[in-house]
Amino acid sequence: MLRRYGPPALLLLAAAAAWQGVASLPSVDDLTLASPSEVVQALREDWSLLLDNAGVTLVEVLLGLAIALVGGVAGAVTMHLVRPLREAAYPLLVASQAIPIVVLAPLFVLAFDYGIGPKVAIVGLICFFPITVNVLDGLRSVEPSLLKLMRSLGASPLAILRKVELPASLPSFFSGLRVAASISVIGAVFGEWAGADDGLGRLVLLGNNQLQTPRVYAGVVILALMAVGLFALATLAERVALPWRRTEGAR
Amino acid sequence: MQTRLEAPATEPLSFEDTGVTVSGVARRFAAADRARGPVLALNDVSLSAHRGEVLGVLGPSGCGKSTLLELVAGLQEPDAGRVAVCGRASGAERLAACAYMPQRDLLLPWRDAIGNAALALECAGVRPRQARRRARPLFERFGLADFERSMPGELSGGMRQRVAFLRTLLAGRPALLLDEPFASLDSLTRAAMQEWLAGALATEPRTVLFVTHDVEEALFLADRVAVMSPRPGRVVAEIPVPLQRPRPRRETVTDPTFIELKEQALRALEC
């Protein structure tokens, strides 16, 4: 435990100390750079405001993730089963990653109105790709000889999907979920920047305009914690769902 | 003793005692390098195994042994010739008549040992819980009762192979097709597994076709050994093994008859 988390914690502390040192230099304006202690103070003072807005953002993130999860898995399974569809859609899906989705945010606000809709849509859109691609790769990673074995045992394609391909794709599904979890918060923030009444992203943007630098940093810290927390949750879910991966790795 | 195989079988086979028959089979594959045209993997292969007979197919690496097994299993179709199992020639019927055990154990890492073996029953439509219940007696009989709940990641190579074999048995097919079942094991484990398999086949008699590149393994396990040439593979010799099965290992491998057969097999492999 200490071996694993000790070094990064130490590095983080060192970085915070350096930050504090730089921010305390007489030549550094408080408005340009808030020191860690000021950020902690802002966290304390603005706690309920930050928490309320974080709640709004978290709901956007979770809804978007849920949609990406359902859509991504369904899309991957469909593409896996329907080969022509896969051949048609897969290259387009990869190419679509060249579109900077964040610049679509204002368009989404136009299309879906001002509320939670466009934020959820953007989170869903950027999380869809890593989940779909990873699940599809996982489904296709099953060894050909294992498929032959299943065929010789008389398994139907559906039984092969259920008993072999889906379980085999779980590890890569979780890799995709981890990636999606860590980028989902970015999507929500961009969605809020394009137009929102509340949310942590909007609070950060607003704070920036009003030169409330410590509050901006405090918001960033919470956003980062949110992403890390989601990532950790995905990792935990993987450990619970796939205990066999540990004995496998031990060999 | 060495007999060239001219006809598919020396005596006419009645429908009942037909195990596996392969006659005049050829199989081509598209070469990776297209300019060179198709590669002939098997050419005019004929062999047969009677019901309850253990036939070893011995050949060098790349002679098409695995292809031959997949052809019999109904996983591939020959480009020429005829393959039949229990007198049935169509691919679907061969699939239904054969239990195929690939080179590697291919156990599903997320299922415990008994769950892996029970997979064979589940694929036949048995409910998972029922399948596990039906697999249990077999685990007891073959001394694996203590390992029922072990995950594949916790099992040694030999144990994994035993579980894979039980899965093959549980498929409940009249013919077993084993593709170099012990090639991935170290030599000591392999020797132990050969004896275990011989014992298992004594209690669960089946028509067995197994391929190997190990001369001793072929002669130790089989009633008859078909020797194949390098690619394009064909049967160059058939060597009956006139020793009772199952055979005690140490006595068998030092038996003068066995040593004589080994020399025959090695000679056949050379030509």
Side-chain angles (χ1 to χ4, degrees), chain A residues 163-245:
Chain A
K163 293 185 194 299
V164 175
E165 290 169 326
L166 278 176
S169 74
L170 279 176
S172 42
F173 160 75
F174 278 110
S175 320
L177 187 63
R178 280 202 302 270
V179 173
S182 49
I183 60 173
S184 59
V185 176
I186 302 174
V189 167
F190 274 102
E192 289 174 11
W193 282 9
D197 293 325
D198 43 18
L200 214 48
R202 176 185 167 272
L203 194 73
V204 164
L205 192 66
L206 221 63
N208 213 12
N209 296 342
Q210 297 168 354
L211 295 178
Q212 291 164 317
T213 318
R215 184 187 284 176
V216 172
Y217 278 92
V220 172
V221 166
I222 295 180
L223 285 169
L225 285 177
M226 206 184 278
V228 171
L230 287 170
F231 184 90
L233 262 179
T235 310
L236 186 72
E238 175 172 14
R239 287 179 72 92
V240 172
L242 311 178
W244 51 271
R245 287 274 285 177

Side-chain angles (χ1 to χ4, degrees), chain A residues 143 145-156 159 163-165 167-168 244 247-248 251, chain B residues 70 75 95 98 100 102 104 106 108-111 119-120 122-123 151 153-155 167 171 173:
Chain A
E143 282 182 60
S145 47
L146 183 51
L147 297 177
K148 273 183 198 161
L149 173 71
M150 290 300 288
R151 261 180 65 206
S152 87
L153 288 175
S156 64
K163 293 185 194 299
V164 175
E165 290 169 326
W244 51 271
T247 56
E248 175 106 313
R251 265 168 70 85
Chain B
E70 289 188 7
L75 291 164
L95 265 175
C98 297
Y100 164 74
R104 297 183 29 234
L106 295 173
L108 302 177
W110 54 86
R111 280 176 175 243
L119 185 68
E122 285 179 39
C123 288
M151 301 306 277
E154 301 162 351
L155 295 173
R167 178 182 59 198
R173 312 284 170 78

Side-chain angles (χ1 to χ4, degrees), chain B residues 76-220:
Chain B
Q76 291 186 27
E77 287 302 321
D79 293 310
R82 184 171 182 274
V83 184
V85 181
C86 302
R88 310 292 167 82
S90 85
E93 285 171 323
R94 269 158 34 224
L95 265 175
C98 297
Y100 164 74
M101 180 170 164
Q103 252 173 52
R104 297 183 29 234
D105 55 70
L106 295 173
L107 299 181
L108 302 177
W110 54 86
R111 280 176 175 243
D112 60 5
I114 198 163
N116 264 290
L119 185 68
L121 293 167
E122 285 179 39
C123 288
V126 180
R127 297 204 164 277
R129 190 176 298 181
Q130 180 84 24
R132 288 174 73 94
R133 200 175 312 134
R134 277 170 57 184
R136 197 152 293 138
L138 219 54
F139 270 68
E140 275 159 23
R141 185 133 57 89
F142 291 107
L144 292 170
D146 294 341
F147 299 95
E148 280 179 10
R149 293 294 180 91
S150 301
M151 301 306 277
E154 301 162 351
L155 295 173
S156 66
M159 293 304 279
R160 292 169 65 106
Q161 214 67 32
R162 284 173 214 226
V163 175
F165 182 72
L166 291 196
R167 178 182 59 198
T168 316
L169 273 186
L170 276 167
R173 312 284 170 78
L176 298 186
L177 311 173
L178 314 179
D179 189 356
E180 303 201 32
F182 310 130
S184 60
L185 304 175
D186 63 89
S187 62
L188 285 178
T189 313
R190 194 185 311 151
M193 283 301 294
Q194 286 163 3
E195 274 191 285
W196 184 84
L197 178 65
L201 287 174
T203 64
E204 285 278 336
R206 304 284 165 95
T207 307
V208 179
L209 210 67
F210 77 95
V211 306
T212 180
H213 57 246
D214 182 333
V215 176
E216 208 171 277
E217 180 171 278
L219 292 167
F220 178 69

Side-chain angles (χ1 to χ4, degrees), chain A residues 35-47 50 214-215 218:
Chain A
S35 70
S37 59
E38 285 169 321
V39 174
V40 171
Q41 201 187 340
L43 277 171
R44 269 210 216 113
E45 285 171 3
D46 300 338
W47 184 240
L50 287 164
R215 184 187 284 176

